[in-house]
Amino acid sequence: MNIRLPKIVWVNIGLLVLFLFVLILPGEGGLSSFFRGGKPLGYSDQRAGIQLQNAFRNVYNFSKDSVVSIRTKKTEAITSPYQYFDYRTEKLSSFGSGFLIHEKGYVVTNFHVISDAESIEVIASDGSVFPAKFVGSHERADIALLKIKEGSGLKPVSFGDSDKIEVGDWAIAIGSPFGLERSFSVGVVSAKYREDLDETGQTHIQTDSMINPGSSGGPLLNIYGEVIGINRLIRSDSGRNTGIGFAIPMNYAKKIIQLIEENKGRIIRPATLGVMATVPLPDHRKTLGIPADWKGVLVYDMDSGSSAESSGLKRYDFIMEANGVQVKNINDLREQVGIVGLGGRLKLRIYREKALEELTVRLIQK
């Protein structure tokens, strides 16, 4: 059976064939010219950028097997908004980040990542999942120590000196924002010692590296791949990254980790000394006989029944050291109180009535 197509159909078919022939025709007028493109930039043109790119790749490859995702589960009651007494319980999961600090399986993260968790799992870079045991934590410092089995295939991190960082240094974050494991983000150190961000009173490293929910507990690295901080919080009205993130300096964190290890099984709770103190003015120094070049803080008042009062600290005592650390200002003293925690003992070196004395303060619940 022969089918006769209208003449207009044959004309359209001819035009289509001609159009396709022109598109694939070699030369400047053909479609193939779009795929050839221009000559790319050469290595000599992009040498500096390629070297920097390779440096970032090196950091990632060096660190990826040290960083883990942390999955916690806890049971919560879900209540119906439409009916009274209509509720059910569900085991909800949440994610955070962490990193291996010792080949025996010790993992560091933030306390708020594992707080109230019924179960904790560590997810390695190859997807392996390991149950984690709670070793201990420091609530005020927001640091927790976990343990997984040895031989996990993870590699312990290398530590850098967080006191030697400078504003403008590269700051690299690796973690699991929104559960997206081993996300790599590059920024800089925006501020070295950011104080009074929250109730902890401790100083933080500020960075514009992308830190989001789920990044907490992951490492902040320098350009050598060394851990200089533990990513902890962000400053944002929306709860999403706005380029202002904060990490716990690693030199401070190492002191906390050592204290946690010494107090296995405990949650070290926040404590207060209960004093009002300040760097003394020249008139105060002259009246109390405090040498002008001595550093410390002067106690001008204290809370009734506080740890300070109960341990014999007095008004106008000049505190020079706390646990062997020089006290230059009130934040230095607050930091040492925070490290020791509730129930701990704070050894003070004070100047009282023109004589040096040693005083041990037991940090109690007021």
Side-chain angles (χ1 to χ4, degrees):
M1 176 177 163
N2 294 327
I3 300 176
R4 295 176 61 86
L5 296 176
K7 185 181 293 185
I8 188 64
V9 173
W10 288 109
V11 171
N12 288 334
I13 291 173
L15 291 173
L16 179 61
V17 171
L18 180 62
F19 177 69
L20 292 175
F21 180 73
V22 170
L23 286 179
I24 64 174
L25 183 70
E28 296 302 319
L31 184 62
S32 58
S33 64
F34 290 107
F35 298 114
R36 288 199 301 271
K39 185 178 180 181
L41 292 171
Y43 176 81
S44 59
D45 300 314
Q46 295 297 95
R47 180 181 288 108
I50 292 170
Q51 289 174 343
L52 183 58
Q53 176 179 273
N54 289 335
F56 292 144
R57 287 178 178 178
N58 291 339
V59 172
Y60 177 75
N61 290 326
F62 178 75
S63 307
K64 64 182 177 65
D65 293 329
S66 304
V67 182
V68 299
S69 295
I70 295 178
R71 180 169 59 201
T72 62
K73 295 180 180 179
K74 63 180 178 180
T75 302
E76 292 190 5
I78 309 297
T79 305
S80 171
Y82 306 108
Q83 291 182 306
Y84 292 110
F85 309 112
D86 181 13
Y87 68 93
R88 67 185 186 279
T89 59
E90 287 189 5
K91 187 161 283 192
L92 303 179
S93 298
S94 60
F95 281 88
S97 305
F99 52 94
L100 192 79
I101 63 167
H102 197 281
E103 58 189 9
K104 288 190 176 181
Y106 288 101
V107 173
V108 165
T109 186
N110 286 142
F111 170 73
H112 75 259
V113 169
I114 56 93
S115 177
D116 301 323
E118 295 172 4
S119 65
I120 307 171
E121 293 177 324
V122 166
I123 305 172
S125 57
D126 63 358
S128 302
V129 180
F130 304 98
K133 294 181 179 180
F134 172 80
V135 176
S137 62
H138 196 299
E139 184 177 343
R140 191 181 191 110
D142 198 16
I143 296 175
L145 186 63
L146 310 175
K147 190 176 188 308
I148 60 175
K149 70 174 185 178
E150 295 183 48
S152 62
L154 293 169
K155 182 182 71 172
V157 297
S158 297
F159 294 111
D161 188 345
S162 57
D163 289 335
K164 292 184 177 179
I165 63 172
E166 298 294 341
V167 173
D169 286 356
W170 291 112
I172 300 166
I174 305 182
S176 302
F178 304 106
L180 301 172
E181 300 170 14
R182 292 174 305 286
S183 294
F184 184 87
S185 172
V186 176
V188 297
V189 174
S190 304
K192 190 172 178 179
Y193 298 118
R194 189 66 73 191
E195 299 177 346
D196 300 325
L197 295 175
D198 59 8
E199 70 282 353
T200 65
Q202 65 197 39
T203 60
H204 286 74
I205 301 168
Q206 182 181 330
T207 178
D208 63 351
S209 296
M210 294 299 287
I211 299 173
N212 278 295
S215 300
S216 294
L220 188 69
L221 309 168
N222 61 19
I223 196 63
Y224 304 106
E226 298 170 324
V227 180
I228 55 172
I230 304 173
N231 297 322
R232 177 171 180 254
L233 54 86
I234 59 175
R235 180 65 60 84
S236 171
D237 294 331
S238 66
R240 301 292 186 267
N241 186 281
T242 55
I244 305 177
F246 302 96
I248 303 167
M250 201 62 229
N251 286 6
Y252 172 77
K254 285 193 286 189
K255 298 175 186 177
I256 298 295
I257 292 166
Q258 183 177 0
L259 188 64
I260 292 171
E261 209 278 331
E262 292 170 357
N263 293 270
K264 288 182 179 179
R266 281 186 57 202
I267 297 177
I268 301 173
R269 302 291 183 185
T272 58
L273 185 58
V275 301
M276 279 66 78
T278 186
V279 176
L281 297 172
D283 287 346
H284 296 150
R285 290 180 180 272
K286 184 177 180 180
T287 301
L288 298 170
I290 303 170
D293 59 341
W294 283 13
K295 296 186 183 299
V297 294
L298 183 66
V299 176
Y300 62 86
D301 204 355
M302 67 183 69
D303 296 331
S304 176
S306 64
S307 301
E309 185 183 66
S310 301
S311 298
L313 203 64
K314 297 180 180 179
R315 291 181 68 187
Y316 307 123
D317 282 347
F318 182 64
I319 302 174
M320 303 173 65
E321 291 182 4
N323 283 349
V325 177
Q326 186 180 61
V327 174
K328 301 182 293 295
N329 52 52
I330 190 63
N331 280 329
D332 290 340
L333 180 60
R334 188 185 298 153
E335 181 176 285
Q336 292 305 310
V337 172
I339 289 174
V340 173
L342 190 62
R345 297 181 184 277
L346 191 69
K347 295 181 180 180
L348 301 178
R349 186 166 185 254
I350 64 173
Y351 184 67
R352 175 189 292 172
E353 297 177 353
K354 300 184 179 181
L356 292 171
E357 296 185 21
E358 303 285 338
L359 182 67
T360 299
V361 176
R362 184 170 178 269
L363 299 175
I364 61 175
Q365 184 75 48
K366 180 183 174 183

